[in-house]
Amino acid sequence: DFERSVAERHIMAETLNQRAIQAEIPASAVHQGVAVLTKPLGNPDFEKTCTPAGPDRSIVVVLDQITDPRNFGAVLRSAGAFGALAVVATDRHAPPESGSLAKAASGALETVPVVRVTNLARALETLADIGYWRTGLAAEGPEPLAARPDRSTVALVLGAEGSGLRRLTAEHCDSLERISGAGGLNVS
C-alpha cells in the first residue's frame, strides 16, 4: 500500500494540481504529473568505492571534463550495464547530478556511485596504486582497444566532448587506445 509505505518512511506526500507542480519545477522539466524533492546524493569515498572487492574483473570509468549532462548520464548508464564499480569525475568541469543527467542515466545514477575528485591526475595515480591499469580512450591511440591483453582491473579514461583527453590526464594513463574502426565517436 503506497500511502502506508510513505507514512512509514516519514515522507511528506502532497497532492497538487498540474499548475502548482509546474510552478515548483523548471519549465523544461518533464514530470508526467509527479515531482519529488530529495536530498542531494552524497560523495562516496574514492578509495573505498574503487577498491576491487575480490579477484573478479573490476572496472572504473574516469571522466575527464565531460560537460554535457546527457553524455554524463549515458556514460553512467553504460557503466551500470557493464558492472563498473564507479564513475569518477572532477568536482569542477563536470555537470552536477540534475534531472537531465538522471533522465539520461535511466536509473544508473541511483545504482552506480559517482565519485567526485579535486585532482584527476592524483586520482589516476591512486587507481594505479590500488592495482588498476589506466586505459585512456583516444582517437590517436596507437593500438586498438581490442588488441590489448585482458586485464582484470581496468580504469577506462574518457575525454571531453570535442577536445578529448587533456595532456596531463593522458600522461597518467598506462596506455592510450582507440576503438578500432570508429573515428569521432561521441563520448557517451
Side-chain angles (χ1 to χ4, degrees):
D1 176 55
F2 176 74
E3 288 181 17
R4 197 171 98 213
S5 176
V6 167
E8 288 172 358
R9 295 181 186 173
H10 304 288
I11 298 172
M12 296 272 307
E14 185 177 344
T15 303
L16 303 172
N17 64 34
Q18 191 79 359
R19 179 176 282 151
I21 290 174
Q22 197 61 47
E24 294 295 325
I25 60 176
S28 62
V30 178
H31 57 79
Q32 299 177 345
V34 177
V36 178
L37 179 61
T38 64
K39 294 178 185 175
L41 295 170
N43 189 30
D45 180 79
F46 170 65
E47 269 191 77
K48 182 178 178 183
T49 304
C50 295
T51 298
D56 294 338
R57 182 178 182 132
S58 296
I59 302 170
V60 170
V61 178
V62 180
L63 302 181
D64 185 15
Q65 296 192 344
I66 305 301
T67 57
D68 186 314
R70 292 174 303 269
N71 284 341
F72 195 112
V75 169
L76 196 57
R77 185 176 65 240
S78 296
F82 288 103
L85 294 177
V87 171
V88 178
T90 54
D91 289 330
R92 296 176 40 189
H93 308 293
E97 288 83 3
S98 65
S100 59
L101 190 152
K103 184 176 180 182
S106 299
L109 185 58
E110 290 80 20
T111 59
V112 179
V114 174
V115 181
R116 302 287 181 158
V117 296
T118 303
N119 185 304
L120 201 57
R122 203 169 21 237
L124 287 167
E125 289 172 7
T126 301
L127 287 171
D129 291 343
I130 58 178
Y132 282 88
W133 180 264
R134 302 156 304 171
T135 299
L137 297 182
E140 68 277 5
E143 294 293 324
L145 183 60
R148 70 172 180 79
D150 186 34
R151 293 190 169 78
S152 63
T153 307
V154 179
L156 290 175
V157 186
L158 308 175
E161 303 93 340
S163 59
L165 295 174
R166 292 177 294 158
R167 180 192 55 79
L168 189 58
T169 301
E171 288 173 2
H172 280 82
C173 291
D174 298 303
S175 64
L176 292 181
E177 298 166 18
R178 67 181 184 280
I179 297 176
S180 190
L185 283 178
N186 184 300
V187 69
S188 66

